[in-house]
Amino acid sequence: GQQLNQSPQSMFIQEGEDVSMNCTSSSIFNTWLWYKQDPGEGPVLLIALYKAGELTSNGRLTAQFGITRKDSFLNISASIPSDVGIYFCAGPLGEYNFNKFYFGSGTKLNVKP
Amino acid sequence: EPEVTQTPSHQVTQMGQEVILRCVPISNHLYFYWYRQILGQKVEFLVSFYNNEISEKSEIFDDQFSVERPDGSNFTLKIRSTKLEDSAMYFCASSDRVLAQHFGDGTRLSIL
């Protein structure tokens, strides 16, 4: 199946630090979605990106849709303990098929108070 | 805020038994999905459903799986004869547009 590669796999940061994680693919995506998953819960949509080059913010979160349409990054500024969780990128592969979504393998974020 | 609800939260079943996982999508949503997440791994797409039919399904969604929207509110996933490797979290999601999917909290399926 289609691979979405996320890096880093995990990270340990100090509260207050900024965080950056990214997602790359060998194929073109026309939409990038970023989700956060807390233990025992379902993924929660954080940011949706619909256009190459688009930069979108949601509070302390900022995400960008790469110009090549093969990558995206998510930044979290001034991290807090509740940012702990697993962050997944996801998207529908292909220009016209919006019914099948692929998820990355996730970046596990740990924040030390 | 409206939520996707899934029941049960945990299902324990003997191998070979049939299991039905239930979901109540957000009421005005039109697109419905099932995903699977094996412990410690990524979320995997199973199937999408729109207008009372399957839109797309993955290689995982073989003949043992089926989905149904039996009434205006429920969306179910049935596994006919469960295998050990079916043990996973199963997530239901729905959206009013195809992209902004809202997930339920999942059903943990344990096959013994």
Side-chain angles (χ1 to χ4, degrees), chain A residues 2-3 31 33 35 37 40-43 45 50 88 92 97-101 103-105, chain B residues 33 35 37 41-43 45 48 55-59 91 97-101 103-105:
Chain A
Q2 174 59 31
Q3 293 291 328
T31 298
L33 308 172
Y35 287 87
Q37 186 177 30
E41 298 183 15
L45 182 65
Y50 300 108
F88 292 100
N97 184 355
F98 296 112
N99 294 302
K100 187 173 185 179
F101 285 75
F103 275 70
S105 50
Chain B
Y33 309 84
Y35 291 85
Q37 187 178 33
Q41 298 186 24
K42 65 182 178 183
V43 177
F45 171 84
S48 57
S55 308
E56 188 82 44
K57 57 185 181 179
S58 72
E59 312 76 45
F91 292 105
R97 303 184 310 272
V98 292
L99 301 173
Q101 296 178 30
F103 282 73
D105 282 340

Side-chain angles (χ1 to χ4, degrees), chain B residues 32-71:
Chain B
F32 313 111
Y33 309 84
W34 282 101
Y35 291 85
R36 176 182 86 173
Q37 187 178 33
I38 294 170
L39 185 64
Q41 298 186 24
K42 65 182 178 183
V43 177
E44 298 176 289
F45 171 84
L46 291 178
V47 67
S48 57
F49 191 87
Y50 170 72
N51 202 26
N52 284 320
E53 60 183 24
I54 290 174
S55 308
E56 188 82 44
K57 57 185 181 179
S58 72
E59 312 76 45
I60 303 168
F61 194 90
D62 61 22
D63 292 345
Q64 293 300 311
F65 291 85
S66 62
V67 290
E68 205 176 34
R69 189 156 160 79
D71 52 44

Side-chain angles (χ1 to χ4, degrees), chain B:
Chain B
E1 187 175 315
E3 288 182 344
V4 175
T5 56
Q6 291 186 243
T7 55
S9 57
H10 190 190
Q11 173 79 46
V12 182
T13 301
Q14 290 287 334
M15 186 172 61
Q17 296 294 306
E18 174 183 286
V19 67
I20 296 176
L21 310 182
R22 302 180 192 280
C23 169
V24 179
I26 295 173
S27 62
N28 62 340
H29 284 185
L30 300 175
Y31 303 88
F32 313 111
Y33 309 84
W34 282 101
Y35 291 85
R36 176 182 86 173
Q37 187 178 33
I38 294 170
L39 185 64
Q41 298 186 24
K42 65 182 178 183
V43 177
E44 298 176 289
F45 171 84
L46 291 178
V47 67
S48 57
F49 191 87
Y50 170 72
N51 202 26
N52 284 320
E53 60 183 24
I54 290 174
S55 308
E56 188 82 44
K57 57 185 181 179
S58 72
E59 312 76 45
I60 303 168
F61 194 90
D62 61 22
D63 292 345
Q64 293 300 311
F65 291 85
S66 62
V67 290
E68 205 176 34
R69 189 156 160 79
D71 52 44
S73 60
N74 290 285
F75 180 50
T76 62
L77 174 70
K78 183 194 289 186
I79 309 175
R80 257 179 276 282
S81 177
T82 50
K83 303 188 281 285
L84 291 175
E85 54 265 37
D86 293 328
S87 295
M89 284 289 290
Y90 288 80
F91 292 105
C92 172
S94 70
S95 67
D96 55 357
R97 303 184 310 272
V98 292
L99 301 173
Q101 296 178 30
H102 295 258
F103 282 73
D105 282 340
T107 292
R108 180 174 298 285
L109 178 62
S110 299
I111 306 300
L112 304 178

Side-chain angles (χ1 to χ4, degrees), chain A residues 15-89:
Chain A
E15 183 177 358
E17 287 182 358
D18 296 345
V19 171
S20 185
M21 60 190 79
N22 66 42
C23 187
T24 60
S25 171
S26 57
S27 301
I28 288 175
F29 278 71
N30 287 303
T31 298
W32 287 96
L33 308 172
W34 283 95
Y35 287 87
K36 177 177 184 258
Q37 186 177 30
D38 291 328
E41 298 183 15
V44 174
L45 182 65
L46 300 173
I47 292 181
L49 301 162
Y50 300 108
K51 206 164 58 171
E54 180 180 352
L55 185 72
T56 297
S57 292
N58 178 7
R60 292 178 297 107
L61 276 61
T62 302
Q64 184 156 30
F65 192 143
I67 291 292
T68 65
R69 295 197 284 163
K70 292 183 178 181
D71 63 339
S72 175
F73 72 73
L74 175 71
N75 286 343
I76 305 173
S77 63
S79 57
I80 59 178
S82 61
D83 291 333
V84 166
I86 302 178
Y87 292 79
F88 292 100
C89 61

